[in-house]
């Protein structure tokens, strides 16, 4: 496994290209879709009688999400569906990508570089959920958590607008150049 700086920049650039609706130098078609996915395991019902405790794991399997999405339209009949994911345990490395592609031949898993979850657009949504629906995270039971999330989801879908992602390959190269001035081991900018 090559962990050199160059593949890091290449992985990041592939994701940025997909956000710009480009894959391998060609524009995506109307029947091509780009999805950002991740888990938010820290959501739990905690009714506090005492000081808060650390969050415990409560993760819905990634494969269940994939099955639900990929068997629904427009994704079931799409030409290609690109899944942008980080390196979390449920979708890490090539075996996860192979499982996805074996189950759905038109699905492609695209991994973010390690420590680059900020490039995953779903993190923007998670931030809004955390701030607007889950803070404070003091709930009596799971039903209250579910109701809060469903209410947020309903309202958000009526008022939200698509994210205006503006960070491009050019921005990535400028960032890598700035970092490279201070860290000779940092990923290098890509050729133009």
């Amino acid at each position: 496994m090559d962990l050199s700086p160059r593949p890091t920049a290449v992985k990041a650039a592939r994701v940025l290209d997909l956000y710009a609706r480009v894959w391998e130098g060609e524009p995506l078609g109307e029947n091509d879709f780009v999805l950002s996915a991740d888990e938010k395991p820290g959501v739990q019902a905690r009714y506090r009688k005492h000081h808060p405790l650390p969050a415990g794991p409560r993760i819905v399997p990634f494969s269940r999400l994939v099955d639900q999405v990929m068997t629904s339209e427009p994704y079931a009949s799409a030409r290609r569906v690109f899944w942008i994911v980080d390196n979390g345990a449920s979708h890490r490395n090539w075996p996860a990508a192979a499982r996805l592609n074996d189950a759905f031949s038109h699905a492609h898993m695209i991994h973010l570089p390690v420590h680059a979850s900020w490039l995953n657009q779903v993190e923007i949504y998670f931030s809004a959920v955390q701030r607007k629906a889950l803070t404070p995270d003091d709930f009596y039971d799971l039903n209250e958590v579910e109701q809060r999330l469903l209410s947020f989801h309903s309202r958000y879908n009526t008022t939200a607008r698509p994210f205006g992602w503006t960070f491009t390959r050019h921005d990535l190269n400028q960032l890598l150049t700035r970092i490279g001035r201070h860290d000779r081991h940092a990923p290098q900018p890509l050729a133009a």
Side-chain angles (χ1 to χ4, degrees):
M1 179 190 233
D2 186 358
L3 296 176
S4 67
R6 184 86 178 142
T8 298
V10 170
K11 280 184 173 185
R14 287 175 54 186
V15 170
L16 294 173
D17 285 351
L18 282 169
Y19 290 162
R21 300 209 39 87
V22 172
W23 177 248
E24 296 179 343
E26 298 292 323
L28 295 182
E30 288 183 25
N31 205 20
D32 292 320
F33 295 90
V34 178
L35 303 175
S36 295
D38 200 2
E39 296 94 0
K40 186 155 178 59
V43 180
Q44 59 182 304
R46 295 189 289 189
Y47 182 72
R48 293 189 177 97
K49 292 183 179 179
H50 305 287
H51 292 287
L53 299 172
R58 189 166 65 83
I59 299 173
V60 176
F62 182 71
S63 59
R64 194 176 333 165
L65 170 66
V66 169
D67 290 342
Q68 181 182 358
V69 170
M70 294 302 294
T71 57
S72 302
E73 292 301 335
Y75 312 108
S77 61
R79 178 175 163 230
R80 295 178 294 192
V81 180
F82 297 93
W83 285 79
I84 297 173
V85 297
D86 63 12
N87 294 282
S90 62
H91 39 73
R92 181 179 299 143
N93 298 326
W94 290 108
R99 279 192 308 274
L100 174 68
N101 196 250
D102 287 348
F104 304 98
S105 61
H106 62 299
H108 307 279
M109 188 174 287
I110 309 299
H111 287 98
L112 293 163
V114 175
H115 304 299
S117 289
W118 62 272
L119 277 175
N120 196 340
Q121 288 187 4
V122 76
E123 296 297 339
I124 298 168
Y125 179 75
F126 284 167
S127 175
V129 168
Q130 185 65 47
R131 286 179 287 122
K132 297 179 183 262
L134 299 176
T135 301
D137 64 345
D138 192 7
F139 302 100
Y140 183 71
D141 60 21
L142 290 177
N143 290 331
E144 188 179 350
V145 175
E146 180 180 20
Q147 288 305 81
R148 179 90 59 92
L149 289 172
L150 289 173
S151 294
F152 172 80
H153 175 75
S154 178
R155 180 151 196 255
Y156 190 83
N157 279 345
T158 61
T159 61
R161 296 204 166 98
F163 300 128
W165 190 269
T166 58
F167 194 82
T168 64
R169 267 182 180 251
H170 175 73
D171 298 319
L172 174 66
N173 282 338
Q174 287 184 324
L175 175 63
L176 295 176
T177 299
R178 275 196 322 269
I179 292 170
R181 289 184 196 131
H182 306 285
D183 180 359
R184 64 185 180 96
H185 299 291
Q188 297 300 306
L190 299 169

